[in-house]
Amino acid sequence: MRQNIFTALALSGLILLSSPVAAQEFADDLSDFQTWGNITATGNFGFVNPDNPTLKKVLWWAEGQGRFGDNSTKFSQALIRPGLGYKINDTTSIWAGYAWAPTSTPFVSVPFDEQRVWQQLLWSDKFSFGKVTARSRLEQRMAPRLGDDVAVRYRQMLKLAVPLTFAPGFSFIVQDEVFVGLNTNDWRARRGIDNNRFFTGIGYAINKNVTTEVGYMNHYLIRRGANLMDHILSANLFLNF
């Protein structure tokens, strides 16, 4: 088990060193302590007709987030993200959905409501050392108050969960997600990597349907002005039905 933990720590270090977070923080970068909360529920439509196996492959996704900035004193962003999916096999599923993200300071200087359409490929499998999850997501982002163009963004997430045998139900979690802008537009001008989120923490399976993850997230955001380095207390609740 010690070897598993050392493997996870080594992987987390490699991910961190290979991400934009590892770059030297410039003198004009800004820093903020934030608190992010997330509830994500997923399930299938088998309850409609238990005798229909096809319905068990049709999936639903319901996610809600609240993010507090300015040293966690101000509610700065909400995110509502519903979606539908299809289970290809025991490890892979495809998804599509919508997201609404009202955003204010200190995340942005001008408050606005963002609308998104998203598609993703989700893969997850268990190995001797733990569970590995990869998520590839494409987003089409719209913010009419800021501009007329559609900003297209690609996100790649990789996550490792290593069970702690000395603490049943607990896991060590390490995760990294890179965001890449795919086009030039009139409200999100940067094309290329524009932010990175690195998370490490502890997960706990309350039961087979409910899991929590709490830990630290380092969020580095490249902006038109000063870049932003967020230090985030991240609390997550995952429900699987």
Side-chain angles (χ1 to χ4, degrees), residues 28-44:
D28 61 350
D29 282 352
L30 301 177
S31 181
D32 190 25
F33 170 72
Q34 301 175 1
T35 301
W36 291 15
N38 167 61
I39 300 176
T40 299
T42 56
N44 63 64

Side-chain angles (χ1 to χ4, degrees), residues 34-38 64-70 73-81 99-108 110-116 141 153 155 179 187-188 195 197 219 221 230 232:
Q34 301 175 1
T35 301
W36 291 15
N38 167 61
Q65 293 192 32
R67 300 172 179 175
F68 295 81
D70 197 9
T73 62
K74 182 177 181 181
F75 187 73
S76 301
Q77 187 176 55
L79 194 149
I80 305 298
R81 183 159 36 214
W100 174 58
T103 306
S104 63
T105 57
F107 292 1
V108 292
V110 178
F112 68 96
D113 286 358
E114 180 182 334
Q115 315 286 330
R116 300 178 191 172
R141 309 169 64 200
R153 183 169 69 181
R155 302 168 54 166
F179 296 65
W187 67 281
R188 290 293 187 196
N195 73 90
R197 295 177 186 172
H219 179 209
L221 178 62
D230 296 324
I232 300 166

Side-chain angles (χ1 to χ4, degrees), residues 189-211:
R190 175 171 291 276
R191 183 178 180 181
I193 295 177
D194 64 2
N195 73 90
N196 188 88
R197 295 177 186 172
F198 174 82
F199 171 86
T200 184
I202 296 296
Y204 177 65
I206 298 175
N207 55 48
K208 66 178 183 178
N209 302 114
V210 183
T211 302

Side-chain angles (χ1 to χ4, degrees), residues 13 26 42 114 123 129 131 142 156 160 225 238:
F26 297 103
T42 56
E114 180 182 334
W123 173 88
F129 54 83
K131 184 178 181 180
M142 295 151 283
Q156 183 60 56
L160 173 64
F238 300 103

Side-chain angles (χ1 to χ4, degrees), residues 10-25:
L11 285 173
S12 67
L14 288 174
I15 293 173
L16 181 59
L17 289 173
S18 63
S19 71
V21 176
Q24 181 178 0
E25 187 175 359

